[in-house]
Amino acid sequence: MSDKGFSQYIQYLNGDEGALEALVRRYSDPLVRFAYCYVQNAAEAEDIMEDTIVALILKRRRLTDGDALHGYLYRIARNKAIDSLRRHSRRDVPLEDVENVLTAGDLETDFSRRARNQTVYRCMQALPEQYKEVLHLTYFEGFSPAEVSRILRKSPKQVYNLLSRSKNALRELLTKEGITHEELL
C-alpha cells in the first residue's frame, strides 16, 4: 500500500486537524500546478486547489489507500478545472456586435450558422467523454497535442490517436445530421 498522504487523511478523519494541515501542505502546490495546466491562470488554479481541499473536507470519504486519496484529489481538481473552463468559455457578446449582426441584413445566414453550431455542439456532447475532452482542449482551448498529453496524463501518441478517432466520430455524427465538412469551413 502506498501512502501518498493517506496516513494523514486517516488521522484527519479521526479528528486530528494538524493532519489536515499536513495534507494541504503536501498537495497544495501540486494541485495548483495541475489545475494551471487546464486554466492557464494562476489565481484560478489556486481557487481550484482551495475548492478541491474544501470538497475533501466536506465529503470526508472513507478511502482504502493512498492511491485512492491521490486519485480522488486529482479527479476533483480536474473536474473543477473543466467546470472553470466551461464557465469562462461562455463569453458575453458586446452590444455593438449584436447591433452589427442585426443591421447587416443577413439574418437568415446568421440563423442558419447558429443552428449549425447548435448541431455541432449537440453532436460533440454525444461523443464519449475522452473524445469530447481531447477535442475541447485542442480546438476550443487551443492547447497543443503535447500540452493535452500532459493535462490528460497520456502519451502524445495516445492523444494523436484520440484526436483522430474523435474527429472521425464527430464527422460521422455530423454527416448523419446533414452537415458536410465544407459547411464547417
Side-chain angles (χ1 to χ4, degrees):
M1 169 169 58
S2 62
D3 186 66
K4 295 186 181 175
F6 184 66
S7 59
Q8 285 122 358
Y9 184 64
I10 295 299
Q11 291 170 355
Y12 163 67
L13 290 177
N14 291 326
D16 182 0
E17 293 299 319
L20 177 62
E21 291 175 23
L23 278 172
V24 171
R25 278 193 305 275
R26 178 185 189 105
Y27 282 104
S28 61
D29 286 344
L31 286 172
V32 168
R33 286 191 302 270
F34 179 73
Y36 185 83
C37 288
Y38 280 89
V39 297
Q40 298 293 307
N41 179 300
E44 184 70 19
E46 287 182 25
D47 288 345
I48 290 167
M49 178 274 299
E50 291 169 2
D51 290 346
T52 301
I53 299 299
V54 167
L56 179 69
I57 293 168
L58 294 177
K59 300 233 175 159
R60 296 178 72 101
R61 290 186 56 183
R62 292 279 176 195
L63 302 169
T64 57
D65 64 23
D67 287 331
L69 173 66
H70 188 76
Y72 180 63
L73 285 172
Y74 279 83
R75 208 169 27 257
I76 292 171
R78 179 176 174 270
N79 290 339
K80 291 193 176 297
I82 290 171
D83 288 345
S84 175
L85 290 173
R86 286 180 182 145
R87 251 189 333 273
H88 289 86
S89 69
R90 298 179 187 139
R91 307 232 189 280
D92 293 328
V93 178
L95 184 58
E96 308 84 58
D97 291 350
V98 173
E99 289 172 352
N100 289 342
V101 167
L102 292 176
T103 58
D106 200 29
L107 292 176
E108 188 174 325
T109 303
D110 186 54
F111 178 76
S112 63
R113 185 179 320 117
R114 250 185 277 141
R116 185 195 65 228
N117 289 345
Q118 287 174 345
T119 302
V120 170
Y121 178 78
R122 192 177 64 253
C123 288
M124 268 191 72
Q125 295 311 306
L127 294 173
E129 191 63 34
Q130 282 189 324
Y131 289 6
K132 285 190 287 194
E133 199 169 51
V134 75
L135 284 172
H136 181 81
L137 290 172
T138 303
Y139 294 107
F140 295 101
E141 298 303 325
F143 289 114
S144 70
E147 292 169 319
V148 172
S149 73
R150 283 192 299 273
I151 292 168
L152 299 179
R153 302 209 174 202
K154 296 186 180 299
S155 72
K157 175 82 170 141
Q158 288 173 309
V159 169
Y160 282 111
N161 287 340
L162 274 174
L163 267 173
S164 177
R165 290 183 196 135
S166 60
K167 288 190 291 187
N168 287 337
L170 182 59
R171 187 178 303 115
E172 190 175 303
L173 289 173
L174 290 172
T175 302
K176 288 179 184 175
E177 292 288 330
I179 295 178
T180 63
H181 176 72
E182 291 77 27
E183 289 179 78
L184 293 172
L185 299 176

